[in-house]
Amino acid sequence: LDNDRLVFGVVGEEASRFFAVESVSGVVWLRQPLDREAKSEFTVEFSVSDSQGVIKGTVNIQVGDVNDNAPRFHNQPYSVRIAENTPVGTPIFIVNATDPDQGAGGSVLYSFQPPSRFFAIDSGRGIVSVIRGLDYEITQAYQLQVNATVIFINLPYSTNIYENSPPGTTVRMITAIDQDKGRPRGIGYTIVSGNTNSIFALDYISGALTLNGPLDRENPFYSTGFILTVKGTELNDDRTPSNATVITTFNVLVIDINDNAPEFNSSEYSVGIPELAQVGFALPLFIQVQDKDEGLNSVFEVYLVGNNSNHFIISPTSIQGKADIRVRVATPLDFETIPRYEFSLFANESVPDHVGFARVKINLINENDNRPIFSQVLYNVSLFENVTVGITVLRVHVSRNNLEFSSQGEQLSEPEIFCPHIPVLNQGRCKLPSAL
């Protein structure tokens, strides 16, 4: 509150070996790689100080696991003696291997390579069993090679990619290993499913997943991201695929950038309303505006611009994403004063050139809300006493709603047209037709 500069730091020798903090911003970063199998949790004390003193706080940091370790067999070599009359189905041995990783990354799968006609191994438990009758006189010994199946490492696979990333961008390296002892074989990588419009390419040998075309988060096929199913296949010595395969999933989330301007559902809106429409009256217009971007990238303001646009108001004026716009009467309207309105409707983002635009045209419908008006309040006429009956003594000019009328009540096409001759009756007074 006193605007004193804050200085951030990390406390303790061990914490300082692994973590550092930027003194001004307080951003924490790693000094060296972490290994969950060596240390899975850190309790780090951070400090913040100003000219008045120092305060400290403790943060518990959990290290998440990735599948970065291969299984290890225990108590090798394995040797077993069994009778030749051992019944088929009898378990004779258990192979034991462990993987320090957690979850799926720590599972171990067993198989014989090459497969045996006489023995089988339970892929999950490592139990070796007899599956065919044995005969000592034919074969006195068997040598079996236990294979720890091909596995993906650094699981789980999940990453983000910005929608404006150019084709050729490397999304992630996918890696599987052959856990055979001795000389491990190569792995071939393929995408099994989820690659909509072939938007990604996966290098068969290296496992590099790259962007294969333009990416647009606003495309409904891409907006929810991708769940790729990837297969790793152990290759034979001649590089042909073997029967040993493993499958995993790869999640790719497309990150939005602010690349869309707000858009109205029409470029022009037109409507006619009575001039007696009350303040607050909602115009019967369907106006919808949308910014297809996401989150804060879709925030914009809507406003009216133009002559007399203050006679109307709109709501809402602050929008995120999509909204229906209502236009309402803000002041009393008068056809005789302004019969027609035309102004602009803008939707404006903070990003330059991200502006939506539409025209609004409103025609007022004239109502019979004005009494006829004579051109003068009082007409004075002087006559000689010997005036001849039927002589014209006065021409009366009357208007209603800014329109000119004759003495018969007919609308005249030209302004400043006067009533026809009116006879003098009843002690020199002018008698006007009742139609006026």
Side-chain angles (χ1 to χ4, degrees):
L1 296 177
D2 56 8
N3 294 321
D4 201 358
R5 191 172 80 93
L6 300 177
V7 179
F8 298 90
V10 61
V11 180
E13 180 181 351
E14 181 187 50
S16 298
R17 289 203 314 268
F18 289 94
F19 303 97
V21 59
E22 210 286 321
S23 62
V24 176
S25 66
V27 175
V28 179
W29 46 279
L30 277 174
R31 288 186 180 274
Q32 60 176 294
L34 302 177
D35 184 1
R36 189 202 65 84
E37 286 72 41
K39 189 173 181 62
S40 62
E41 184 177 356
F42 292 86
T43 300
V44 182
E45 190 175 27
F46 294 99
S47 67
V48 58
S49 61
D50 60 9
S51 60
Q52 303 300 314
V54 180
I55 61 173
K56 297 178 181 180
T58 300
V59 176
N60 183 260
I61 300 175
Q62 302 284 336
V63 182
D65 182 56
V66 297
N67 190 6
D68 58 350
N69 292 277
R72 294 174 181 258
F73 286 97
H74 301 285
N75 304 318
Q76 296 185 77
Y78 300 118
S79 178
V80 182
R81 296 176 63 88
I82 61 173
E84 65 174 328
N85 61 347
T86 300
V88 172
T90 301
I92 60 172
F93 192 72
I94 297 179
V95 176
N96 184 20
T98 58
D99 188 324
D101 293 315
Q102 289 182 327
S107 61
V108 180
L109 300 178
Y110 304 98
S111 64
F112 287 136
Q113 188 64 32
S116 170
R117 293 188 301 125
F118 294 91
F119 302 94
I121 186 169
D122 185 294
S123 61
R125 296 179 295 174
I127 299 174
V128 180
S129 303
V130 177
I131 60 173
R132 190 172 180 178
L134 306 176
D135 188 342
Y136 177 84
E137 282 70 34
I138 297 176
T139 305
Q140 290 79 41
Y142 295 88
Q143 184 173 355
L144 306 174
Q145 180 174 316
V146 179
N147 178 38
T149 308
V150 177
I151 62 168
F152 285 100
I153 63 173
N154 300 322
L155 294 174
Y157 290 123
S158 180
T159 193
N160 302 333
I161 184 170
Y162 285 98
E163 63 172 316
N164 63 338
S165 300
T169 300
T170 299
V171 180
R172 182 71 184 270
M173 295 297 298
I174 299 176
T175 306
I177 60 172
D178 174 11
Q179 297 186 101
D180 289 337
K181 297 179 68 64
R183 188 184 66 174
R185 296 178 177 181
I187 307 296
Y189 303 92
T190 53
I191 299 176
V192 177
S193 64
N195 192 13
T196 305
N197 294 333
S198 299
I199 196 68
F200 298 104
L202 180 59
D203 188 276
Y204 185 70
I205 299 300
S206 70
L209 185 71
T210 58
L211 190 60
N212 196 39
L215 193 59
D216 183 4
R217 192 202 64 85
E218 288 68 48
N219 185 325
F221 290 109
Y222 306 152
S223 58
T224 58
F226 302 84
I227 301 178
L228 305 178
T229 301
V230 179
K231 180 171 70 173
T233 303
E234 182 179 323
L235 302 179
N236 297 317
D237 292 337
D238 60 358
R239 311 300 285 178
T240 59
S242 71
N243 295 325
T245 63
V246 64
I247 289 179
T248 191
T249 56
F250 190 172
N251 297 322
V252 182
L253 180 64
V254 182
I255 303 300
D256 180 60
I257 64 166
N258 195 351
D259 59 346
N260 289 275
E263 293 182 353
F264 290 97
N265 61 331
S266 178
S267 60
E268 183 175 295
Y269 305 93
S270 180
V271 69
I273 62 172
E275 66 169 322
L276 299 181
Q278 298 296 309
V279 172
F281 172 77
L283 277 62
L285 291 171
F286 176 56
I287 303 177
Q288 193 173 79
V289 62
Q290 179 181 15
D291 188 325
K292 295 180 180 179
D293 290 319
E294 188 178 42
L296 295 178
N297 289 337
S298 66
V299 174
F300 57 94
E301 303 290 325
V302 180
Y303 51 91
L304 295 174
V305 176
N307 293 333
N308 302 310
S309 61
N310 62 322
H311 290 192
F312 299 88
I313 58 173
I314 59 173
S315 63
T317 56
S318 295
I319 298 170
Q320 178 174 329
K322 182 179 181 181
D324 293 335
I325 304 297
R326 302 295 288 178
V327 181
R328 298 180 183 274
V329 176
T331 63
L333 307 176
D334 185 13
F335 176 87
E336 287 69 41
T337 305
I338 305 176
R340 186 172 186 271
Y341 295 86
E342 184 171 337
F343 40 77
S344 300
L345 185 60
F346 285 96
N348 191 19
E349 271 193 89
S350 58
V351 176
D353 301 326
H354 278 203
V355 180
F357 170 80
R359 299 291 295 175
V360 179
K361 298 179 179 179
I362 302 171
N363 293 305
L364 296 188
I365 301 172
N366 187 31
E367 300 279 358
N368 188 7
D369 61 340
N370 293 281
R371 299 177 61 187
I373 301 174
F374 288 98
S375 60
Q376 295 180 215
V377 176
L378 177 66
Y379 295 91
N380 290 317
V381 180
S382 297
L383 297 174
F384 291 105
E385 63 178 324
N386 62 345
V387 66
T388 304
V389 174
I391 190 171
T392 299
V393 296
L394 179 66
R395 290 179 181 178
V396 179
H397 177 216
V398 65
S399 65
R400 181 173 61 194
N401 296 348
N402 286 343
L403 301 176
E404 310 300 329
F405 289 86
S406 71
S407 61
Q408 303 302 317
E410 298 173 351
Q411 182 179 337
L412 301 176
S413 59
E414 298 180 4
E416 303 300 328
I417 301 297
F418 294 90
C419 296
H421 298 171
I422 302 175
V424 178
L425 300 172
N426 301 329
Q427 291 79 42
R429 295 179 181 176
C430 295
K431 182 180 180 180
L432 294 176
S434 60
L436 293 176

